[in-house]
Amino acid sequence: MVSRALPRGPRALAALLPAIEPLADLLQEQGLTRTPPHRREGLHPLVVPLAAEGEASVVGVLRWPSPPPPQLLLVRTERQPADLRDGTASLASLTLRPLGTPAQYARRAAAEAEASAGPRQIISAAAALSSAVAAAPYVPGELGASKLQLDQYLLLRVGPFPDVWERMARLRLERADETAALVAAERATAGNPSWGCCLWLQAQLMGALGRREEERDLALAALETPLWTLGASLAEVQAAAQLAHVDDVFALFKQMEEALRLQQNAPPRSIGELALARALECMDEVVRRRSRWDDARPHVASALEEAGLTDVAELAAL
């Protein structure tokens, strides 16, 4: 069983342990292939894989690098090969795309299966997952009874899925409903704090509308999120932020932050805060250099241990 293959140091995933097996069951019913959770080579240090689709695509659980209670999200990414072609990692392997909490994912899977007249086994597996995480399951017929379109139902009744908000925003823009498009993108960001992909969506819409100052400001904000949440090339986002001429944007950000702290007479950051910042910077550096997650794993684990996030450090070290 998948749950028996859970990696050592499972404290980081203690809240998810009851859901590992039903999560894998649901993903399998959706056509994915189960993946042993201990097969973490080539993946982001804080992701535990559950299922694979094709040669590289992986769906797994992300333990966000924050103090307890743990923030657990399903994400989609790609596994890096043992030997990187030309020594450069693909953008897809350096990006995590959020799929919602286990409870949200279960309700979405069931609603989408019903909307497409898909296999009823998906709805049953989603109900089992909802039960495992003590969440309200999707009730068959709920989508139809709501009188909402599928995307509307997902966003209003299930969760703030970035891909659904993006689909809605771009559709509104195609229909020349600029206000509705911008509102959809804003709600994506509001519902997914710390995920740069949503800020980047806002920046792209502003650029499409010729609103360059707002595009710049939103692109700048996107660059300040964890870079593995962007889902876009750094060169593209940096150009939108009007910083293509700056050799090291992130050194500039750090200098500006320290200058602001000094101006505000902010107290020195604690050892734990500095260590957590190092862990995040280490993961950002992998994206900047388009290098290997596995090479960064021990450094991330060491910094997280120093930050007092022992459970997350154990996960990163595996």
Side-chain angles (χ1 to χ4, degrees):
M1 295 175 67
V2 171
S3 56
R4 294 176 184 170
L6 196 69
R8 65 175 176 83
R11 285 178 291 176
L13 296 173
L16 186 69
L17 287 177
I20 290 289
E21 192 69 22
L23 256 174
D25 287 342
L26 174 56
L27 292 167
Q28 184 172 349
E29 292 294 349
Q30 291 181 303
L32 282 72
T33 303
R34 288 176 182 246
T35 297
H38 65 268
R39 275 208 60 215
R40 303 187 56 232
E41 64 276 5
L43 295 174
H44 185 285
L46 303 184
V47 169
V48 173
L50 295 178
E53 187 174 22
E55 294 185 2
S57 181
V58 170
V59 173
V61 178
L62 166 70
R63 166 61 161 97
W64 193 269
S66 62
Q71 299 180 47
L72 300 170
L73 292 173
L74 265 73
V75 294
R76 184 182 294 275
T77 186
E78 283 194 4
R79 189 186 299 274
Q80 294 177 341
D83 296 316
L84 295 180
R85 183 177 300 176
D86 301 324
T88 302
S90 68
L91 176 61
S93 74
L94 298 170
T95 299
L96 304 187
R97 298 192 178 278
L99 303 176
T101 66
Q104 291 168 344
Y105 188 86
R107 285 181 58 79
R108 176 176 181 173
E112 290 180 333
E114 187 171 77
S116 63
R120 292 198 59 82
Q121 292 92 324
I122 292 178
I123 299 176
S124 298
L129 173 56
S130 295
S131 177
V133 296
Y138 176 83
V139 177
E142 191 175 327
L143 173 61
S146 73
K147 307 300 183 183
L148 297 170
Q149 295 180 354
L150 177 60
D151 282 355
Q152 294 173 323
Y153 174 84
L154 293 177
L155 296 173
L156 293 175
R157 304 288 176 85
V158 182
F161 302 103
D163 62 314
V164 183
W165 276 123
E166 179 172 2
R167 186 161 60 234
M168 184 171 288
R170 294 194 184 282
L171 180 60
R172 298 296 185 271
L173 190 63
E174 288 176 7
R175 295 175 176 174
D177 192 345
E178 298 176 3
T179 299
L182 295 177
V183 168
E186 288 173 6
R187 290 184 177 175
T189 296
N192 297 277
S194 300
W195 285 88
C197 56
C198 299
L199 286 160
W200 177 233
L201 170 62
Q202 286 188 267
Q204 288 178 295
L205 294 185
M206 291 299 182
L209 296 174
R211 296 164 63 166
R212 298 304 174 193
E213 290 188 5
E214 290 155 296
E215 177 191 24
R216 176 201 62 202
D217 293 345
L218 287 162
L220 277 170
L223 288 170
E224 295 184 272
T225 64
L227 298 182
W228 37 271
T229 70
L230 267 179
S233 75
L234 291 184
E236 184 181 6
V237 183
Q238 190 171 329
Q242 300 176 22
L243 290 174
H245 61 287
V246 178
D247 291 333
D248 192 338
V249 171
F250 303 98
L252 175 62
F253 285 171
K254 188 176 292 188
Q255 292 172 6
M256 293 172 62
E257 181 183 0
E258 292 303 321
L260 180 60
R261 289 179 63 84
L262 185 63
Q263 182 181 13
Q264 295 176 339
N265 292 318
R269 288 189 287 184
S270 68
I271 292 175
E273 289 172 332
L274 290 171
L276 178 57
R278 284 203 310 277
L280 293 170
E281 287 172 8
C282 186
M283 290 186 282
D284 279 350
E285 186 68 10
V286 173
V287 180
R288 287 196 290 269
R289 294 181 178 274
R290 299 191 68 165
S291 56
R292 292 168 49 85
W293 288 120
D294 290 344
D295 293 341
R297 190 179 297 279
H299 306 290
V300 173
S302 176
L304 289 171
E305 180 71 32
E306 188 176 348
L309 299 176
T310 305
D311 63 331
V312 196
E314 289 177 349
L315 181 63
L318 298 174

